[in-house]
């Protein structure tokens, strides 16, 4: 089947994922199957989709997520490559339906591609976003080289140390990632503990660093989510470029940061 046929809005969302998957590969952030993306596509699902029979067995999510009852998600497949997803999103990902028990899901299209191993984190986060009435629909986990490198230094794992440094590298970073970078201490990939720790940080941040692993980010759609990670990693690159030139970058001053926040009506 081809669920995207004659459904231009659903197709647009899935192809935005494909476009971002290509960027992740080009940036070197998506080695092998690295990273995953999920998008809540429920608003583009019609009655015909709602009665589609499942094409997989029911699978447990590993958590009970009451706000996801009857929701639909496009998910990258586990072990699938971003560079392949960029060309063929429906061969390297699938659309799932959350079952009425709110604790399991079934695949409905196009093929039985098993969702990402980070599904517990992604779905727990979507459940949290809905509970808050958030307009955010997309979550992206990726391995941005320079940000991950910074997470190997204990000083950057202290609350808001990395955020303040990254904001001070170039004015745009605070403007386009105004909530900064949250930190989750190293936790086993794919675990419910990682999901819970991520949600705790999303109260205050849109982008969260998973220590020595990658980042997890949320926003209204997959493109906006990618942008937040991209601006943060750009700042990390500027920091590293200065260090490579043999000096500690000065960073924008507190006064310059305050001036920016007032001028652009930014938080904190
Ligand atoms: P998946 O291939 O299961 O999506 O895993 C990739 C990854 O980055 C795990 O953290
Ligand atoms: Zn990962």
């Amino acid at each position: 089947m081809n669920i995207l046929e004659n459904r231009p809005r659903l197709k647009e969302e899935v192809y935005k994922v494909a476009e971002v998957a290509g960027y992740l590969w080009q940036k070197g952030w998506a080695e092998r199957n690295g990273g995953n993306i999920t998008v809540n596509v429920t608003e583009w699902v019609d009655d015909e989709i709602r009665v589609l029979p499942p094409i997989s067995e029911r699978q447990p999510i590993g958590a009970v997520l009451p706000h996801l009852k009857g929701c639909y998600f496009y998910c990258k497949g586990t072990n699938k490559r971003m560079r392949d997803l960029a060309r063929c999103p429906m061969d390297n990902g699938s659309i799932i339906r959350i079952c009425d028990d709110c604790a399991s899901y079934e695949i409905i299209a196009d093929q039985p591609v098993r969702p990402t191993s980070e599904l517990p984190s992604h779905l727990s986060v979507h459940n949290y976003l809905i509970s808050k009435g958030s307009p955010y629909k997309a979550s992206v986990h990726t391995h941005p080289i320079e940000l991950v490198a910074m997470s190997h230094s204990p000083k950057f794992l202290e609350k808001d140390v990395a955020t303040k440094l990254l904001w001070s590298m170039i004015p745009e970073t605070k403007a386009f990632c105004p909530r900064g970078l949250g930190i989750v201490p190293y936790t086993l990939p794919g675990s419910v503990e990682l999901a819970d720790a991520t949600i705790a940080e999303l109260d205050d941040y849109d982008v969260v660093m998973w220590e020595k692993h990658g980042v997890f980010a949320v926003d209204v759609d997959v493109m906006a989510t990618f942008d937040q990670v991209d601006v943060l990693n750009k700042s990390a690159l500027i920091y590293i470029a200065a260090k490579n030139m043999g000096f500690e970058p000065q960073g924008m001053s507190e006064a310059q940061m305050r001036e920016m926040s007032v001028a652009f009506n930014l938080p904190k």
Side-chain angles (χ1 to χ4, degrees):
M1 83 169 283
N2 179 357
I3 198 171
L4 304 184
E5 205 173 270
N6 297 324
R7 293 193 176 95
R9 282 299 286 116
L10 184 60
K11 185 171 181 179
E12 192 183 321
E13 291 310 306
V14 171
Y15 273 82
K16 262 194 252 174
V17 176
E19 186 177 339
V20 165
Y23 300 154
L24 298 177
W25 165 249
Q26 285 159 14
K27 286 196 161 282
W29 299 354
E31 72 291 344
R32 198 176 182 276
N33 62 313
N36 24 77
I37 300 176
T38 62
V39 179
N40 184 344
V41 294
T42 312
E43 71 180 277
W44 302 292
V45 159
D46 50 40
D47 289 345
E48 221 174 288
I49 294 180
R50 270 185 277 273
V51 296
L52 277 179
I55 57 169
S56 76
E57 300 277 293
R58 226 176 225 235
Q59 298 293 334
I61 298 166
V64 184
L65 304 170
H67 297 282
L68 297 190
K69 189 172 175 172
C71 283
Y72 291 77
F73 295 89
Y74 171 82
C75 308
K76 192 205 86 154
T78 188
N79 256 316
K80 299 295 186 188
R81 299 179 180 91
M82 289 292 181
R83 64 180 191 264
D84 292 338
L85 195 156
R87 285 178 292 106
C88 305
M90 294 309 290
D91 291 339
N92 295 280
S94 55
I95 293 180
I96 64 167
R97 172 195 291 139
I98 307 301
C99 302
D100 284 352
D101 64 1
C102 302
S104 57
Y105 69 87
E106 52 200 19
I107 304 171
I108 58 150
D110 279 348
Q111 298 169 48
V113 174
R114 203 149 59 85
T116 169
S117 58
E118 300 289 3
L119 199 66
S121 287
H122 282 267
L123 291 184
S124 300
V125 164
H126 286 292
N127 183 67
Y128 162 84
L129 293 171
I130 293 170
S131 78
K132 289 258 163 180
S134 166
Y136 288 6
K137 294 280 193 293
S139 56
V140 174
H141 161 58
T142 186
H143 303 163
I145 303 164
E146 292 76 15
L147 288 173
V148 175
M150 285 176 74
S151 82
H152 285 261
S153 166
K155 74 174 170 189
F156 294 131
L157 299 176
E158 283 168 35
K159 190 171 169 57
D160 292 335
V161 170
T163 294
K164 289 199 175 110
L165 176 90
L166 295 168
W167 277 349
S168 78
M169 288 296 105
I170 177 172
E172 275 83 347
T173 304
K174 187 167 186 188
F176 298 123
C177 188
R179 301 179 79 213
L181 180 65
I183 307 287
V184 169
Y186 184 83
T187 308
L188 185 70
S191 62
V192 172
E193 291 70 33
L194 181 57
D196 291 344
T198 304
I199 287 169
E201 287 296 276
L202 289 177
D203 262 340
D204 296 321
Y205 306 93
D206 288 345
V207 187
V208 173
M209 165 67 69
W210 287 351
E211 180 187 339
K212 302 185 185 89
H213 179 173
V215 298
F216 190 97
V218 289
D219 208 321
V220 286
D221 71 357
V222 67
M223 207 59 78
T225 312
F226 167 76
D227 282 338
Q228 289 216 49
V229 182
D230 195 27
V231 297
L232 284 175
N233 201 68
K234 173 65 172 276
S235 275
L237 281 165
I238 294 168
Y239 173 73
I240 291 160
K243 295 288 272 187
N244 283 343
M245 285 185 260
F247 62 90
E248 183 72 24
Q250 211 171 34
M252 293 160 62
S253 68
E254 289 281 339
Q256 288 166 339
M257 292 302 304
R258 268 197 306 277
E259 180 191 43
M260 261 284 299
S261 300
V262 172
F264 294 93
N265 202 14
L266 304 172
K268 286 184 193 166

